[in-house]
């Protein structure tokens, strides 16, 4: 579609909003954001409005003792592996988004089984920043992209440089060779509380145990657009795909309300929270039966108070779920 040629897919993708300069009339709510996603990517009956192209997986998570010192959350205090259902995805609402896209995020969404039929969720993307500061900025971005007007789109990015950071970051890196060979970030600043009541602000980051692996542009171009699913199946037949889940610890002054702002990761302490092992593919219906909800946290973990993108995600996912469940 024309839009794709004009704009990095990452900008159309996963987490969305737009700045005040051009968004004087934008009044984003969950419904208007999902409508705008549908307008950009098309309506696809029975499918997600974003991160449409994906694959459901299963596995387990084993926390470290250090995780328990940071939080009383049950999955970080378990003495035995915690069951996990997950979904890897391409950003954006195109059900046929090519796995070879460079300027698009990969998603990793997880349900941790915390017993008694309850889960807690963690949703991450393969970049440290989102492409909008708040829902109005995301709506303005989507509405501008929807016009397919090259000049308007260029003007929007010029006026809203924070919305291009994610695409710039992705374009400076190779296409991930697999869903299992790229780092993922939780984007928002969460707060852990431990058994003594001590609080710690942090951001999630998951790193493949075998390290990152990417493709050259020529290699990526030669790939089938749907190569990740068979690649994952083949990989998992040989053994689990393992990730180290970490917490990057925040320090005073780190931005807590702007998901387009980088944290100086190399200057921050990182704590290993545990080992995620993806062991096999799971029926996609298991993942489609509900939403992966970033606000579905447990005692011992809190989401950010003033991050407007974080606040609107759960309702937006609810709208998408209601529509795809009809
Ligand atoms: C205003 C901002 C955002 C909006 C409107 C939005 C919208 C959506 C929607 C509608 C879905 C599909 C939900 C469903 O039907 O289950 C979705 C999925 C997803 N979003 Fe967002 N999103 C936003 C921000 C973000 C951010 C900041 C991240 C970064 C972690 C993110 C990562 C994901 C991922 C990984 C999925 C796929 C979940 C799955 O596999 O089911 N999104 N998003």
């Amino acid at each position: 579609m024309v839009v794709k040629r004009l704009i990095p897919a990452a900008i159309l993708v996963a987490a969305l909003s737009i700045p005040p300069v051009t968004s004087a009339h934008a009044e984003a709510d969950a419904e208007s954001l999902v409508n705008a996603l549908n307008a950009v990517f098309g309506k696809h009956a029975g499918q997600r409005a974003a991160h449409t192209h994906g694959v459901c997986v299963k596995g387990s998570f084993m926390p470290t003792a250090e995780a328990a010192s940071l939080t009383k959350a049950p999955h970080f205090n378990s003495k035995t592996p915690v069951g996990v259902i997950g979904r890897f995805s391409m950003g954006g609402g195109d059900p046929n988004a090519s796995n070879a896209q460079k300027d698009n995020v990969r998603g990793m969404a997880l349900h941790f089984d915390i017993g008694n039929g309850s889960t807690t969720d963690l949703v991450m993307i393969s970049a440290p920043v989102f492409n909008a500061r708040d829902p109005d900025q995301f709506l303005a971005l989507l509405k501008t992209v929807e016009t397919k007007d090259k000049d308007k789109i260029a003007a929007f990015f010029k006026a809203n440089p924070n919305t291009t950071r994610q695409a710039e970051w992705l374009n400076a890196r190779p296409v991930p060779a697999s869903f299992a060979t790229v780092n993922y970030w939780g984007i928002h600043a969460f707060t852990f509380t431990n058994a003594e009541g001590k609080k710690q602000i942090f951001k999630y980051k998951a790193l493949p145990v075998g390290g990152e692996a990417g493709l050259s542009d020529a290699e990526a171009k030669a790939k089938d657009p749907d190569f990740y699913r068979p690649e994952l199946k083949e990989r998992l037949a040989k053994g689990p795909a393992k990730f180290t889940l970490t917490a990057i610890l925040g320090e005073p002054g780190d931005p807590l309300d702007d998901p387009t702002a980088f944290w100086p990761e190399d200057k921050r302490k990182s704590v290993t929270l545990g080992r995620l092992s993806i062991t096999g593919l799971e029926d996609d219906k298991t993942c489609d039966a509900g939403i992966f909800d970033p606000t579905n946290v447990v005692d011992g973990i809190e989401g950010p108070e003033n991050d407007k993108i974080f606040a609107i995600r759960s309702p937006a996912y609810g709208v998408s779920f209601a529509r795809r469940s009809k």
Side-chain angles (χ1 to χ4, degrees), residues 75-93:
H75 54 311
F76 291 127
N77 283 266
S78 181
K79 302 286 176 241
T80 53
V82 175
V84 166
I85 292 293
R87 186 170 177 273
F88 290 112
S89 58
M90 298 298 296

Side-chain angles (χ1 to χ4, degrees), residues 14-17 33-34 37 47-51 87-89 107-109 123-125 130 135 138 185-188 259 287 290-292 309 312-313 316-317 320-321 324:
L16 346 158
S17 108
L33 285 166
V34 173
L37 281 164
Q47 306 211 52
R48 287 165 177 74
H51 288 260
R87 186 170 177 273
F88 290 112
S89 58
M108 184 207 273
V123 188
M124 296 180 281
I125 53 173
F130 188 52
F138 194 36
W185 285 260
I187 303 291
H188 307 286
C287 285
I291 62 168
F292 292 90
I309 290 284
I312 208 154
R313 286 179 64 192
Y317 294 18
S320 172
F321 178 70
R324 67 178 161 86

Side-chain angles (χ1 to χ4, degrees), residues 67-72 192-199 300:
S69 72
L70 283 173
T71 174
K72 54 188 169 183
F192 275 146
T193 306
N194 71 9
E196 286 77 47
K198 191 177 168 231
K199 293 189 182 289

